Amino acid sequence: MSDPRDIDEDAILRGLSAEELDQLDYELQEMDPENALLPAGFRQRDQTKKSPTGPFDRDALMQHLEKQALEHEDREDLVPFTGEKKGKAFVPKKPAEIPIHEQVILEPELEEALKNATDAEMCDIAAILGMYTLMSNKQYYDALGTTGTIANTEGINSVVKPDPFKIFPEEPPNPTNVEETLERILNNDSSLIDVNLNNIKDIPIPTLKEIFEAMKGNSHVEFLSIAATRSNDPVAYACAEMLQENTSLQSLNIESNFITSDGMMAIIKAMANNATLVELKIDNQRQKLGDSVEMEIASMLENNSSILKFGYHFTQQGPRARAAMAITRNNDMLRQQRLR
C-alpha cells in the first residue's frame, strides 16, 4: 500500500472535469448552521439550482400565497355537521313550594308597603332588622344613624361597589418666614412662644445653626419644631449646645431628619444638664441610631425627671422597657404633685 504522502494532489486536480471540480468545491464548504452571528447565506450550503427570478417582491409573494390558499381544498370533517340537536333540552326546575305552616302571612297594609318598597328602602329595613350580611358596613351603619330619611340610595345591589374615593386637599406649605423668625428669636420677642419650621426643605444648614445659637439666650420660646428640614449632625451639635444653656424650652421636635447616631448621642448627653424640657421627639431619622444610642436614651430617661413625653420607636426590648418605666415614673410624680 502506497504512502498517502506520496500522492500528487495537483495531478489529480488537473485530471478532474469542470463538473467534478464544482462538486468538490461544494463538498469542501465549511458551514455552521448553529452560529447565529453568521448571515443566513453562510450557515448552510446553497442548494438552489434554479436561476434567480429577480429582487424580492413582498406584495407578489403575498398574492401568490393567498392564491394557493384559496385553490387548496379544505379537509373534510371527520364528523360532518348536520345541524341535528342531540341530548335533552334544559328545563329549569320549579322552585319548591313553601308549606302553608311555614309561610309568613303579613297584614294587608304591611304586605302592600313591602310590595311597593324600593331597593333602597329594603336595604334600610334589612339594616334595622340586623341583616348586616346583605350590605356593607358603611350601608349598615348609615341606615342605623339616620331617622326619617333613606340612607342607602343605591339599594342592596350596591354592596359590591366600593366607597367613593375621598380626595383630601394637599397641606399648604409652611408660611413661616425663617429670616423673620430668627430675628425675633435673637431679639427675645416675648410674643414668640411657638416656632414651627416643619417641612421647610430649603432652610440652609448655617441658618438652622444660627437658630439654635439664638435659642441659647432666648427666654420666651417654649415650643421648637424642625421636623423634615433636612437637618444633619452639625445642626444636632448646635442643638446639644443649646439644650445645655436654654432654660425656657419645653418641647423639641427634630423628627424625620438626617441626624446620625453621633449627632443624636450629643443631644442625649446634653439632656443631663437640662431640667426644663418636657417633650422630646427624635424618631424617623434617615439612619438607624443603633443599640448604643438606645441604651444611652434609656439611661438618660432614668436619670431625668422632667421629660413626660418621648417620641422614638425602640428596636430593642430592653431599652424600650426601661424608657417606658422612666416615662411612667415621671408622669406619676407630676400627678402626685398636683394632688398635694
Side-chain angles (χ1 to χ4, degrees), residues 316-327:
Q316 300 296 327
Q317 179 64 27
R320 184 191 301 117
R322 292 170 57 189
M325 293 176 60
I327 295 297

Side-chain angles (χ1 to χ4, degrees), residues 66 71-72 84 104 106 116 125 127 132 160 162 183 188 196-197 223 229 238 242 268 294 301 326 338:
E66 291 178 1
E71 293 177 352
H72 189 272
E84 179 184 357
V104 178
L106 301 177
N116 298 328
I125 294 174
Y132 52 85
V160 296
E183 188 67 24
N188 202 10
N196 182 3
L197 304 178
F223 305 93
T229 56
M242 180 273 299
I268 298 304
E294 292 189 358
L301 292 175
R338 291 174 180 173

